[in-house]
Amino acid sequence: MTSPLRIGIVGLGTVGGGTLNILSQHAELLAARCGRPVVVSAISARSRGRDRGVDISRIRWLDDPLGMASDPDIDVVVELMGGAEGVARQLVEQALLNGKSVVTANKALIAHHGIALAQMAEKTGAVLAFEAAVGGGIPIIKALRDGLAANRFLRIAGILNGTCNYILTTMWEHKRGFDEVLKEAQALGYAEAEPSFDVDGVDTAHKLAILTSLAYGCAPAIDHMHVEGIRRISLRDMEFAAELGYVIKLLGITSHTEGGILQRVHPCMVAADSPLASVHGVYNAVLAEGDAVGTVLFEGRGAGAGPTASSVVADIMDIARGVRYKPFTLPVAQLACLPFSGMDNLRCSYYLRLSVTDKPGVLAEVTGIFKDERISLRSFLQHSHQPGETVQLVLTTHDTQESAMLRAMAAIAALGSVKEEPHMIRIENI
Ligand code: NDP
Ligand code: HSE
């Protein structure tokens, strides 16, 4: 066997703890598969005294995590603390500039600064690896870079946030409230340090930007993306969705359209028999449509200690084995500057829920607006109680242009009989 690969780990929380666990429990297996041992040379976190659930007493502790970047006994820095700026960014930059390879699960860092970091890695010959940044335990980065490399991608769509999928699934299956279920996801180690990143779609956006980059050979473009989260999704919407034959999921979708690449993150209704409808709890799924391969579906746990650490350790093993690749598949100088499309160009069908006064003429007013915008209705639901009460009116449309739908919604919201802001959910044919 050749010399050991010496790693330094910064961040010993959910993912860092899980990584230490795999490295110690599977040490022999990893050494055999890599042809050399992987040893943890040093660790660092904020609080030295905190119980990590694994024995760290014999591992060298560094109070200053940035010391890892220039430590002569460290070959690879494993950044598992998180954050697009601050110590995480400084650590990764300094390590790469010093020629040390970096493994990270930090999608925020990669989505915002991945190109600059990849340039640093190219300059010094270091590896920058981030399999754990998207899809937790699903090896989707490797799949896009290697296994599906022969394809042009028409669309990539996925459930990319375990916390949101856990919330949506648990709210529906157990009829529980949003806040309560979010707290549970946090306790299970699924949520980001700032959980609004999860529920407001930001985390999904970070991951989608990385997938787009790999699929289309461009730099991650987090600023060219429509992002909505799941805060407005209610049990009532889930009930109507079920009645209409749909399930509500937060999806990240990137597709090649006539206007350019369209990246969007928002709640979607998907048909109850769609493969994405049966992805529950913390599971993620990525559906890739390639021109040669057709549709491929990847599914697995998208968050949590074990699944995420599985991807982190796979990256460490690649480095131990001497596998080398460009972080974004192509050299940075060859990444394309592609046009990005806005949501105005999107065509899909829509679900619209209105709270209206139940009185004669209301439906005619609403459908009149749809007629003016040339939007064709597909279905209509109303569970009426007493005339004069506020009732829920649910309409779905045939495929229509997003811009027409938004104009119609604004006009409907201004009607005197409409009591709350209309709630629209896009229906994704997937
Ligand atoms: P945790 O909050 O559980 O752990 C963060 C760790 O980083 C803690 O050990 C903390 O120290 C340490 N830390 C934070 N700030 C500093 C600092 N300034 N200096 C030194 N150490 C610091 O986070 P996770 O393990 O959940 O997430 C880590 C990364 O992995 C993030 O980028 C996240 O987005 C990503 N990720 C997380 C997944 C998950 O399921 N949780 C899945 C995929 C990716 P201390 O313990 O002493 O407070
Ligand atoms: N907070 C993230 C999620 C962690 O819930 O999916 C995995 O990236």
Side-chain angles (χ1 to χ4, degrees):
M1 277 206 187
T2 50
S3 58
L5 182 80
R6 301 162 306 170
I7 65 168
I9 304 179
V10 180
L12 303 171
T14 303
V15 185
T19 301
L20 273 179
N21 235 325
I22 296 181
L23 291 171
S24 73
Q25 287 184 6
H26 292 179
E28 281 179 25
L29 178 85
L30 302 189
R33 288 186 179 165
C34 298
R36 62 194 288 204
V38 175
V39 297
V40 182
S41 170
I43 50 177
S44 183
R46 270 180 307 216
S47 155
R48 186 169 186 172
R50 195 173 143 189
D51 179 11
R52 307 287 172 186
V54 266
D55 181 15
I56 54 167
S57 59
R58 277 173 294 193
I59 309 177
R60 187 163 55 105
W61 178 276
L62 295 186
D63 283 327
D64 177 11
L66 294 178
M68 299 248 178
S70 52
D71 192 305
D73 293 325
I74 292 175
D75 305 310
V76 178
V77 171
V78 182
E79 184 280 302
L80 301 173
M81 62 182 145
E85 304 299 337
V87 182
R89 183 177 174 191
Q90 283 174 47
L91 172 69
V92 172
E93 285 178 355
Q94 288 178 21
L96 292 172
L97 289 173
N98 287 340
K100 291 192 195 302
S101 292
V102 170
V103 172
T104 181
N106 190 337
K107 50 266 166 153
L109 179 73
I110 298 299
H112 285 280
H113 304 297
I115 291 302
L117 297 175
Q119 269 167 332
M120 292 172 200
E122 277 181 12
K123 204 164 142 190
T124 61
V127 172
L128 170 63
F130 45 83
E131 181 65 68
V134 185
I138 306 173
I140 186 64
I141 306 273
K142 205 169 255 193
L144 292 181
R145 198 182 52 220
D146 298 339
L148 298 175
N151 289 266
R152 284 186 193 282
F153 293 100
L154 313 170
R155 175 170 66 167
I156 294 181
I159 295 170
L160 299 175
N161 186 271
T163 303
C164 286
N165 206 45
Y166 182 82
I167 292 174
L168 292 174
T169 309
T170 311
M171 276 174 71
W172 174 240
E173 285 178 356
H174 302 285
K175 306 289 179 273
R176 289 171 58 199
F178 182 96
D179 293 332
E180 185 193 348
V181 184
L182 170 59
K183 283 202 185 94
E184 200 169 280
Q186 287 176 287
L188 289 164
Y190 302 158
E192 294 304 299
E194 176 49 68
S196 64
F197 271 36
D198 296 294
V199 298
D200 292 329
V202 179
D203 179 73
T204 300
H206 289 148
K207 293 165 177 169
L208 189 68
I210 296 171
L211 293 185
T212 300
S213 167
L214 292 164
Y216 295 113
C218 57
I222 191 81
D223 295 332
H224 295 278
M225 195 178 302
H226 174 86
V227 183
E228 283 171 45
I230 61 166
R231 284 186 204 268
R232 282 200 76 196
I233 301 297
S234 62
L235 273 172
R236 185 181 265 167
D237 291 313
M238 292 179 178
E239 277 157 13
F240 278 122
E243 196 172 342
L244 292 161
Y246 297 114
V247 174
I248 301 177
K249 295 288 178 191
L250 180 72
L251 299 188
I253 304 168
T254 187
S255 55
H256 206 282
T257 70
E258 276 179 19
I261 305 292
L262 177 57
Q263 301 184 101
R264 53 196 169 102
V265 173
H266 52 75
C268 290
M269 288 196 181
V270 297
D273 61 358
S274 152
L276 296 183
S278 52
V279 177
H280 298 309
V282 73
Y283 278 76
N284 281 192
V286 182
L287 195 145
E289 292 172 359
D291 60 350
V293 73
T295 299
V296 187
L297 179 72
F298 301 85
E299 185 181 347
R301 283 191 173 83
T308 314
S310 164
S311 290
V312 171
V313 175
D315 276 346
I316 296 170
M317 291 172 74
D318 270 353
I319 295 171
R321 289 188 287 225
V323 176
R324 308 199 67 80
Y325 44 78
K326 303 287 177 209
F328 295 98
T329 309
L330 298 172
V332 171
Q334 288 176 27
L335 291 172
C337 282
L338 298 173
F340 283 88
S341 169
M343 286 293 276
D344 277 5
N345 293 325
L346 177 67
R347 271 190 80 79
C348 66
S349 51
Y350 294 83
Y351 158 99
L352 189 64
R353 177 170 60 77
L354 307 172
S355 289
V356 298
T357 314
D358 194 5
K359 65 177 187 185
V362 173
L363 185 60
E365 284 180 321
V366 171
T367 52
I369 291 170
F370 275 3
K371 179 170 166 259
D372 291 346
E373 290 294 346
R374 307 176 69 80
I375 295 172
S376 168
L377 276 182
R378 188 162 67 182
S379 68
F380 157 69
L381 288 176
Q382 179 185 326
H383 299 304
S384 197
H385 304 286
Q386 296 298 318
E389 276 185 356
T390 297
V391 292
Q392 301 296 304
L393 193 63
V394 167
L395 306 142
T396 66
T397 74
H398 287 289
D399 275 5
T400 192
Q401 196 89 10
E402 173 106 355
S403 47
M405 191 64 198
L406 294 183
R407 281 194 303 272
M409 269 176 65
I412 290 169
L415 293 174
S417 49
V418 173
K419 299 298 172 200
E420 285 172 19
E421 198 187 330
H423 190 202
M424 175 264 270
I425 301 177
R426 298 171 187 88
I427 299 172
E428 188 71 16
N429 187 7
I430 200 157

